Amino acid sequence: MTTLSRPPADPANRPKNSFKLKPWLLEGMPDTSGKRQGPHGRPSDAHKPQAWWKVMCLTGLDYFSTLGYQPAIAALAAGLLSPLATLLLVVATLAGALPVYRRVARESPRGEGSIAMLERLLPRWGGKLFVLALLGFAATDFMITITLSAADATAHLIENPFAPHFLEGQQVVITLALIAGLGVVFLRGFKEAINVAVVLVAAFLALNLVVIVVSMTHLFTEAGVITDWWTALTTSHGDAIMMIALALLVFPRLALGLSGFETGVAVMPQIKGHATDTEANPAGRIKGAHKLLTTAAIIMSSFLITSSFTTVMLIPAAEFQDGGKAEGRALAYLAHKFLGDGFGTVYDVSTIAILWFAGASAMAGLLNLVPRYLPRYGMAPAWARALRPLVLVFTVIAFIVTIIFQADVNAQGGAYATGVLVLITSASIAVTLSAKRKKQRGQFIGFGIISLVFIYTTVVNSIERPDGLKIAALFILGIMVVSFISRMRRAFELRATHIKMDEKALEFTANASEGPVRIIAHEPKHLSASRYREKLQHAQQASHLPVDCDAVFIEVIVDDSSDFEQELQVVGKTRHGFKILEVHSNNVPNTVAAVLLHIRDVTGFMPHIYFRWTEGNPISNLSKFLFFGEGEIAPVTREVLREAEPDITRRPWVHVG
């Protein structure tokens, strides 16, 4: 068996530009192994996994930080019904999202998440397009996490009584400064910061617990608070059935309280498993992920329920409105009210820190998501594997989103909820399809019901607050346009990430005493002996192939033309007395070119490839090549070789007749 690492056309191996900015931007460009920087990435080889509860704090940067604004948004959206609507949210969390993502963790233990599950369940171009659409919603989720978290951190800063007065009215400027600071951190090189996450999350949850306990004490000791709320609720909304119906209608507006599950499975590679774990069966890591998801869901559900009661009953409704002191910071309002400005300031500092770090976590999520899919699809420029160019792109997009929404927390809630809900809905559909494929009828029905609930929630949220859908549509459109332009621009690259030849294939190509190696391209749809004889005679007549040469046929079987990069296995076979090199791949010309270069480097003999001209319109044949991996074979093979090997004396020969 012979091997050859990635061929010379790999952009990462091309000579560096002498211009200093470009090497700096592309510094540390990861390879195609999937390893990424940041807390959501696959850890490096030297990385030491952590206990599940520490990794929970990492995902808690996204999940728990929503306590900074979720209670205020819930109170504004549902009013007096906020506790009941929040209770429905908790039921959806514990009985819906939690079992869905526990199964996602079991079936995707390397951190790929539900998108990768759907990619496997929906192959070829349909699956690729679906994944691109989901990436648009995921980008919405992560991008709005950055902008909303920064905006809410700004609100906590400005509303603090000790904040300088000149900060008032500067929400957009301060939010942009926080986002810019986030970009600078990543440009300098973000390192995994689990220990920092543990400190931030522990402090934030402890402070929230103090605020909740003190607020609940006031709730039960102050006369008339609970009865006044109940009287107002029954007067406004009638009987219990009407309340439940209205709560179901407003429940989708609270859906951003479900934001932590996709991140929870993304950080799975960080979890320390058992000593007996294997790559094929990381049972310990999966068990740790289940503990992480369950514990985080229970903690968050407890805080959501208690905060919904305390904020609605103890804060005047007017304070939740635009310009109110509780807008986007309900628990901070209670902290200052009941525990004084000193404690309230400590709470504000903790909230600002975790919200800013939540933006860092979301940025890291984007930096893992885009390189994981788009370059592998051929649908992103080569520099999309580098960290710094992506940081600049995402930072600029975050600036634009912040300016459009004017750093308004409530205005971004709908867009955030849309991204979260679509990802959870896609995960529900993925596990439903998985259960169906494995013929698990009970789980199929259960996950199907959960999928219907989240589909309803997503549709209602999108209708009531279409901002998220519009932003996601823009992301999807941008991803689609960039993807297909990139796919066409990279069409003539060598796509083989690795090439292997078995002993028989090597014997076929290395038995010439002086060379060259004569190879005839043959379409594997016609495998009769007469067809091989006709192809050999045509090469001898049209391309003057020597009659006494020991020619070898090469057959490329196109499996999934939507794939871009692929490892190639060259297998030697004998059929009807003819020598065959058989390769399964995603396209014909790029594969042939890669194999020719591999044969040249392994055997030391110069390969000569013999083609027939392709019949039909050249434009339609080129389209077939771009989308189906076939079509205009001979000229495209020659062009791929030309780009891969600039030295014409070392370039394999292409004969067409």
Side-chain angles (χ1 to χ4, degrees):
M1 185 76 71
T2 65
T3 62
L4 176 67
S5 296
R6 178 177 281 277
D10 180 8
N13 295 330
R14 288 179 179 173
K16 293 184 178 180
N17 195 306
S18 59
F19 183 54
K20 294 182 179 180
L21 178 61
K22 185 175 180 180
W24 179 78
L25 285 173
L26 300 182
E27 181 183 355
M29 181 186 291
D31 59 22
T32 56
S33 65
K35 297 177 182 177
R36 306 281 180 255
Q37 294 189 43
H40 296 316
R42 283 181 56 185
S44 65
D45 294 335
H47 170 79
K48 294 183 179 180
Q50 302 283 343
W52 66 267
W53 59 270
K54 287 187 176 182
V55 183
M56 182 188 71
C57 293
L58 192 61
T59 185
L61 294 172
D62 277 349
Y63 197 21
F64 299 142
S65 67
T66 58
L67 288 170
Y69 47 82
Q70 164 77 4
I73 291 178
L76 184 64
L80 297 171
L81 283 170
S82 176
L84 184 55
T86 302
L87 185 60
L88 293 176
L89 174 65
V90 169
V91 172
T93 298
L94 299 178
L98 180 58
V100 164
Y101 277 94
R102 282 173 65 93
R103 175 145 185 160
V104 171
R106 188 165 60 250
E107 298 197 12
S108 183
R110 296 166 190 82
E112 304 97 329
S114 58
I115 295 179
M117 285 182 63
L118 286 169
E119 181 188 26
R120 292 192 295 267
L121 292 169
L122 302 170
R124 303 186 182 277
W125 280 109
K128 298 292 189 298
L129 294 175
F130 190 75
V131 168
L132 291 179
L134 285 180
L135 288 177
F137 286 104
T140 303
D141 179 8
F142 285 123
M143 190 59 64
I144 298 297
T145 298
I146 295 171
T147 58
L148 189 149
S149 297
D152 196 53
T154 300
H156 282 79
L157 175 62
I158 293 176
E159 292 296 330
N160 186 278
F162 301 114
H165 293 292
F166 67 83
L167 295 179
E168 294 183 9
Q170 302 299 319
Q171 287 90 339
V172 174
V173 174
I174 297 172
T175 303
L176 292 176
L178 289 173
I179 294 172
L182 190 66
V184 170
V185 168
F186 277 88
L187 287 174
R188 290 177 61 86
F190 186 83
K191 301 296 182 182
E192 296 175 352
I194 290 183
N195 291 333
V196 176
V198 170
V199 173
L200 287 177
V201 168
F204 181 69
L205 291 180
L207 291 170
N208 274 281
L209 181 61
V210 172
V211 174
I212 292 294
V213 170
V214 171
S215 299
M216 292 293 288
T217 303
H218 282 274
L219 203 64
F220 288 106
T221 56
E222 292 183 12
V225 173
I226 297 177
T227 55
D228 289 346
W229 167 76
W230 181 254
T231 301
L233 181 64
T234 54
T235 302
S236 303
H237 301 295
D239 58 21
I241 296 178
M242 182 61 67
M243 292 180 195
I244 295 174
L246 291 173
L248 285 171
L249 289 175
V250 299
F251 153 68
R253 303 181 191 178
L254 281 62
L256 68 167
L258 294 164
S259 63
F261 285 98
E262 192 71 30
T263 308
V265 294
V267 298
M268 280 188 65
Q270 306 281 352
I271 299 174
K272 183 178 181 180
H274 295 155
T276 57
D277 280 6
T278 63
E279 188 66 20
N281 182 29
R285 184 195 304 166
I286 294 172
K287 186 177 181 180
H290 286 173
K291 291 180 181 179
L292 181 156
L293 293 168
T294 303
T295 305
I298 292 173
I299 292 173
M300 190 64 178
S301 297
S302 302
F303 275 109
L304 287 175
I305 291 176
T306 51
S307 65
S308 67
F309 279 100
T310 56
T311 52
V312 167
M313 295 183 191
L314 296 174
I315 300 176
E319 297 293 352
F320 294 112
Q321 302 297 323
D322 188 21
K325 293 183 179 180
E327 182 192 8
R329 55 188 301 275
L331 290 175
Y333 178 94
L334 295 177
H336 283 274
K337 180 180 179 179
F338 295 131
L339 294 164
D341 290 337
F343 181 91
T345 299
V346 173
Y347 182 89
D348 285 338
V349 170
S350 174
T351 305
I352 292 169
I354 196 171
L355 286 169
W356 191 79
F357 236 75
S361 183
M363 177 70 84
L366 283 169
L367 294 173
N368 282 287
L369 202 61
V370 170
R372 188 186 293 275
Y373 292 100
L374 295 186
R376 180 163 56 86
Y377 291 175
M379 292 181 169
W383 55 258
R385 287 195 177 97
L387 183 143
R388 289 180 177 129
L390 287 180
V391 170
L392 293 175
V393 171
F394 295 145
T395 302
V396 170
I397 294 174
F399 281 176
I400 295 172
V401 172
T402 297
I403 294 171
I404 290 175
F405 285 103
Q406 289 295 292
D408 189 326
V409 174
N410 294 323
Q412 297 178 74
Y416 189 18
T418 299
V420 171
L421 283 171
V422 170
L423 288 181
I424 293 180
T425 302
S426 67
S428 304
I429 294 172
V431 297
T432 302
L433 293 175
S434 175
K436 181 181 179 181
R437 176 171 290 186
K438 295 180 180 179
K439 298 181 179 180
Q440 299 169 330
R441 184 175 180 182
Q443 295 187 39
F444 169 68
I445 294 173
F447 287 129
I449 294 173
I450 294 172
S451 298
L452 292 176
V453 171
F454 283 120
I455 289 172
Y456 156 77
T457 307
T458 304
V459 171
V460 171
N461 179 78
S462 300
I463 293 174
E464 291 187 354
R465 298 184 292 179
D467 288 341
L469 210 56
K470 293 177 182 177
I471 292 177
L474 290 175
F475 275 116
I476 292 170
L477 179 62
I479 288 173
M480 292 287 187
V481 171
V482 171
S483 294
F484 283 101
I485 291 176
S486 175
R487 180 94 179 197
M488 288 186 283
R489 286 181 56 121
R490 299 183 64 191
F492 302 111
E493 290 182 10
L494 287 174
R495 304 181 187 182
T497 59
H498 198 73
I499 301 177
K500 297 180 180 178
M501 295 182 70
D502 68 7
E503 292 183 6
K504 203 167 187 179
L506 181 61
E507 179 186 337
F508 289 166
T509 55
N511 63 354
S513 58
E514 297 180 358
V517 181
R518 311 279 186 178
I519 302 175
I520 301 174
H522 182 252
E523 191 174 2
K525 296 178 182 179
H526 308 284
L527 302 179
S528 65
S530 60
R531 190 71 175 186
Y532 287 107
R533 284 194 297 270
E534 290 174 5
K535 206 64 176 286
L536 178 59
Q537 291 171 1
H538 176 271
Q540 292 170 343
Q541 295 172 3
S543 301
H544 306 290
L545 179 70
V547 177
D548 58 347
C549 76
D550 190 14
V552 180
F553 290 87
I554 185 169
E555 298 175 349
V556 180
I557 300 172
V558 178
D559 297 319
D560 184 356
S561 60
S562 63
D563 287 337
F564 190 78
E565 297 178 337
Q566 186 175 350
E567 180 179 298
L568 301 180
Q569 178 92 27
V570 184
V571 179
K573 293 185 176 181
T574 302
R575 187 178 295 126
H576 307 301
F578 296 98
K579 299 175 181 178
I580 315 294
L581 300 178
E582 184 179 279
V583 191
H584 285 261
S585 179
N586 50 45
N587 75 94
V588 178
N590 305 68
T591 300
V592 170
V595 172
L596 292 177
L597 290 171
H598 180 74
I599 292 172
R600 178 202 66 183
D601 294 336
V602 169
T603 66
F605 300 138
M606 182 60 70
H608 286 235
I609 183 81
Y610 296 85
F611 292 101
R612 281 185 177 183
W613 284 114
T614 306
E615 298 293 332
N617 187 293
I619 296 177
S620 64
N621 283 330
L622 183 60
S623 300
K624 289 179 182 178
F625 159 68
L626 292 173
F627 292 101
F628 302 108
E630 301 175 342
E632 203 69 56
I633 305 300
V636 173
T637 301
R638 195 265 177 189
E639 178 60 21
V640 174
L641 287 169
R642 188 187 68 83
E643 289 201 7
E645 179 51 80
D647 185 352
I648 193 171
T649 63
R650 288 181 44 79
R651 190 182 302 158
W653 286 64
V654 176
H655 304 265
V656 189

